Amino acid sequence: MSAPVRVAVLVSGRGSNMRSLAAAAGEAYAIALVASDKPEAAGLAWARESGLATFARSPRGIGKPAYEAALDAALREASVEVIALAGYMRLLSDDFVARWRGRIVNIHPSLLPKYKGLDTHARAIAAGDDVAGCSVHVVTEELDGGAVLGQAEVSIVPGDTPDALAERVLAAEHQLYPEVLARFVREGAWREG
Ligand code: GAR
């Protein structure tokens, strides 16, 4: 059996998806690094307390190119093979995406291609949709535009609010992301790229 694929998880906030990915780490993948553009992110504190390797740097003051160069160096230093964005709320540059082509995945709280970007739940409710959900996709230069690897649906109920829907979708995210990431690393499609 081959060694677990070394995954870095990138977070900007509370990191609940990161925790679900960490809980499911094992045969398929290992969390080699948790990285954040927000040194104060709650998810980062949890990762440190859990004994995971971490990288924290704000682009503020140094600029995006220097920040991404430092991030890239940390990822390579940790022998990372695949990057999983988990509530990472900063756009990666085209250069960075190109350097990690086919090796970056993201979880997005909508049924892509619907509702790319922000405020997905409010937009789904306002549109009168009766189903919402989440998607795991490959990251490309196009925002939330890469190939969809897996989705989970969540019903929108009468009187739903964006917050209530977000909470139910988040529970679905916690199920979906570890499953899809495990399948993605087992298939190893990026190795051919
Ligand atoms: C999650 O709902 C995730 O899908 C979303 O941010 C939340 C992060 O929560 N991501 C995006 O909107 C990316 N465009 P978490 O920090 O608890 O995982």
Side-chain angles (χ1 to χ4, degrees):
M1 202 172 33
S2 49
V5 169
R6 295 178 65 76
V7 172
V9 186
L10 269 55
V11 301
S12 297
R14 85 198 135 178
S16 70
N17 275 291
M18 172 206 60
R19 293 199 299 276
S20 75
L21 292 177
E27 267 177 41
Y29 66 86
I31 307 293
L33 188 68
V34 173
S36 185
D37 60 321
K38 293 253 164 61
E40 71 286 2
L44 200 56
W46 180 89
R48 275 194 207 103
E49 281 158 24
S50 306
L52 294 168
T54 59
F55 166 91
R57 183 80 44 96
S58 170
R60 225 176 290 156
I62 60 169
K64 191 160 183 163
Y67 160 75
E68 284 191 343
L71 173 62
D72 187 72
L75 293 165
R76 291 180 196 281
E77 174 75 17
S79 303
V80 165
E81 299 167 87
V82 166
I83 299 171
L85 308 184
Y88 182 73
M89 302 309 278
R90 189 172 294 277
L91 281 179
L92 293 166
S93 70
D94 289 359
D95 260 13
F96 187 95
V97 171
R99 256 180 283 144
W100 290 87
R101 170 90 49 217
R103 295 167 176 256
I104 312 175
V105 296
N106 179 43
I107 187 147
H108 182 74
S110 79
L111 295 173
L112 291 171
K114 277 188 150 186
Y115 312 125
K116 298 174 179 178
L118 300 175
D119 300 324
T120 55
H121 306 304
R123 287 155 68 201
I125 292 170
D129 294 356
D130 48 26
V131 63
C134 49
S135 308
V136 178
H137 65 94
V138 176
V139 172
T140 64
E141 288 83 351
E142 188 197 338
L143 176 69
D144 301 326
V148 172
L149 301 169
Q151 293 185 312
E153 294 190 353
V154 174
S155 295
I156 298 179
V157 297
D160 233 341
T161 63
D163 283 352
L165 180 57
E167 197 175 315
R168 300 200 310 284
V169 171
L170 191 65
E173 294 180 35
H174 296 161
Q175 287 284 319
L176 180 73
Y177 207 179
E179 286 169 20
V180 175
L181 181 63
R183 179 164 43 80
F184 179 78
V185 298
R186 281 204 181 97
E187 287 172 359
W190 78 88
R191 292 186 212 272
E192 287 118 52

